[in-house]
Amino acid sequence: MAAIVFDDFSYAYDGTTKALDGIRLEVAKGSFTVVAGPSGAGKTTLCLAACGAVPHYFGGSMAGAVRVAGVDTAAGSMGDIAAHVGTVLEDYESQLVTMTVAEEVAFTLENRGMKHETIARRIGEVLAQVGLAGLEDREVGALSGGQKQRLAIAAVLATRPGILVLDEPASALDPEGAEELYALLAGLNRETGMALLVVEHDLARVLAYADQMVVLAGGRVACQGRPEDVLPAMWRQPGLAAMVPPLWQIKLGLEEKLDESFAAWRNEEEAAAELGGFIAARRRGGEKSA
Amino acid sequence: MRRTAPLTKLAVVLLVSLWAMLLESAAALGAVAGLLLALFAASRVPAGSYKALGGLGLFALALAAMQYALGAEAEFSLVVGLRMATMTGLFILLLATTRVQDLTAALARQLRVPYEYAFMVTASLRFIPDLLTEIKAVQEAQACRGYAGGGSVTRRLKNYLTIVQPLVLRSVARSETMAMSMELRGFGTGRAGSYGTSIALGGRDYLALAALAAGTAGVVAARFYM
Ligand SMILES: Nc1ncnc2c1ncn2[C@@H]1O[C@H](COP(=O)(O)OP(=O)(O)OP(=O)(O)O)[C@@H](O)[C@H]1O
Ligand SMILES: [Mg+2]
């Protein structure tokens, strides 16, 4: 059973203009799925549909279905869905509801009826994971934007959800912070099999981890599949080529120029290794023919 | 008041506000205000709350002075100022000593307020400080652009509304997102939750509630039957 299934799902906030239009998408158990696309493409709406806020909170009209852990989101309540899915919204600041950092994490756990000793232990663990250790008693209002964003993520991670939906989780983080966050998420994804649905417009940040990429445009799926298939398809579309990570722009550009094909690079090291071997082979070939 | 249950604190706020509305002598209201100050002292609130309290005191004084200047009796002016200060001070005390989510939990679980409304109450409480900061930021931005803030009263009022309106709209939108995100985090799903220790009433709460009830009975009797 897949973690999240969009089954020909369409949705309009106002009943007429479709924010999502005929979405067919499957996020497998243990998948690291990344959603990208231009502003207004429907990425946030997709996240809201995955956690049941659409349609439960926004009303509007929908067609098709979304199933989370096998349950139809329109039939189950947001609370039922929340038992399977952890969600961090685009507007993470209004997701913070308590006065202090430790209370913020405790809030989610208290709602699950956890024991106080367990809560205290989890708070320490999860704050260390996101790099907020030692700030337990800090007032939430006194945190920086990036710290608030990490706190919102920690508060959701603390419940160890089987599925995690994150809408631009690194928007307030500096480059190192974003790198650390995605390394942490990828680690959890590998070790616990947590399925991820992440909106991230900077695909370079997730290139090393994503096993599925989805590009939305105008509420429809423009491309979808394994990164090694999606990135070349994006490269061929004028509107989407600029979203291809620089490393893959180099790869695809070189492949065109040299009429070669390289492996699906996940990071600079892999690229450097393959290109090094390629150059050495060429040089040997050149010496031989000379 | 930190170890007092949120429900008790809510009762204090509501009933003591009722006292402040019913009492008509400056001496009696002064006693209530004194009680409030004692509660502040006893609950070791953060320094920021004292600042708020100081500002409130000044505002109450100005209000009383204005009443007096407009021709009201001295005692009446004092009563109006003290009443306002007491009722607002109670809220400051509540906010300084209670976790917002405990308040929501108490409203929803113990008072059976529907979750949506409990959300709204606490969300607006949570955003008052944010709202004040934002108003200040907007005013500073306007000052930077050379806006002097002068002109006729209607013009000033209009200018003020142009600041406040988007802020109010934004905070309404925000509190909706907040209610949604609380639900996304499993609040109000009908599960038991483990607020137990933080919202349950203890012996001191029952004592306090009994004292409040007696006080309220006394104030009502004094107001209507004496
Ligand atoms: N609450 C709402 N009410 C009505 N329409 C909405 C609402 N939220 C979004 N929309 C519309 O739905 C469409 C998709 O919006 P959405 O927020 O999902 O885009 P997005 O891909 O997340 O954009 P961004 O990159 O700017 O975050 C847009 O046309 C937007 O105007
Ligand atoms: Mg968005």
Side-chain angles (χ1 to χ4, degrees), chain A residues 5-49:
Chain A
V5 179
F6 288 84
D7 189 359
D8 204 6
F9 182 76
S10 300
Y11 176 76
Y13 286 97
D14 58 5
T16 52
T17 23
K18 284 184 182 169
L20 291 178
D21 190 358
I23 303 288
R24 291 173 189 276
L25 174 67
E26 198 174 305
V27 177
K29 264 197 182 141
S31 163
F32 192 130
T33 296
V34 175
V35 180
S39 187
K43 305 182 294 293
T44 295
T45 312
L46 192 78
C47 291
L48 293 173

Side-chain angles (χ1 to χ4, degrees), chain B residues 184-204:
Chain B
L184 286 176
R185 287 170 65 187
F187 189 87
T189 47
R191 281 161 193 260
S194 52
Y195 302 94
T197 51
S198 47
I199 68 170
L201 300 181
R204 47 190 287 149

Side-chain angles (χ1 to χ4, degrees), chain A residues 48 51 53 57-58 78-79 82-83 89 93-99 103-104 107-108 110-111 113-114 116 155, chain B residues 99-101 119 126-127 174 176-187 189 191 193-195 197-198:
Chain A
L48 293 173
C51 64
Y57 235 88
F58 289 91
M78 276 172 73
L89 303 169
E93 284 204 42
S94 47
Q95 191 156 4
L96 302 173
V97 294
T98 69
M99 291 300 170
E103 286 170 11
E104 194 62 58
F107 175 72
T108 331
E110 282 172 353
N111 288 332
M114 278 188 193
H116 281 271
Chain B
R99 305 195 308 170
V100 179
Q101 74 270 32
F119 279 147
R126 170 75 167 65
F127 284 114
R174 265 219 168 154
E176 274 173 9
T177 317
M178 189 174 136
M180 181 175 88
S181 85
M182 286 173 89
E183 209 167 322
L184 286 176
R185 287 170 65 187
F187 189 87
T189 47
R191 281 161 193 260
S194 52
Y195 302 94
T197 51
S198 47

Side-chain angles (χ1 to χ4, degrees), chain A residues 217-290:
Chain A
R220 291 167 168 275
V221 174
C223 319
Q224 149 183 14
R226 296 181 309 166
E228 54 267 41
D229 301 325
V230 168
L231 293 171
M234 290 171 71
W235 182 244
R236 287 190 294 271
Q237 292 188 37
L240 303 177
M243 286 169 53
V244 174
L247 188 64
W248 273 66
Q249 298 198 6
I250 294 173
K251 170 180 139 76
L252 296 164
L254 278 177
E255 286 180 347
E256 272 171 21
K257 274 235 170 67
L258 303 172
D259 198 24
E260 278 286 335
S261 83
F262 297 113
W265 297 339
R266 304 281 263 175
N267 51 45
E268 283 78 1
E269 287 73 34
E270 285 182 22
E274 188 173 17
L275 284 177
F278 176 76
I279 292 168
R282 277 248 165 155
R283 212 173 266 154
R284 274 198 302 278
E287 278 162 11
K288 235 176 252 169
S289 64

Side-chain angles (χ1 to χ4, degrees), chain A residues 43-44 90 167-168:
Chain A
K43 305 182 294 293
T44 295
E90 193 171 24
D167 195 353
E168 305 198 26

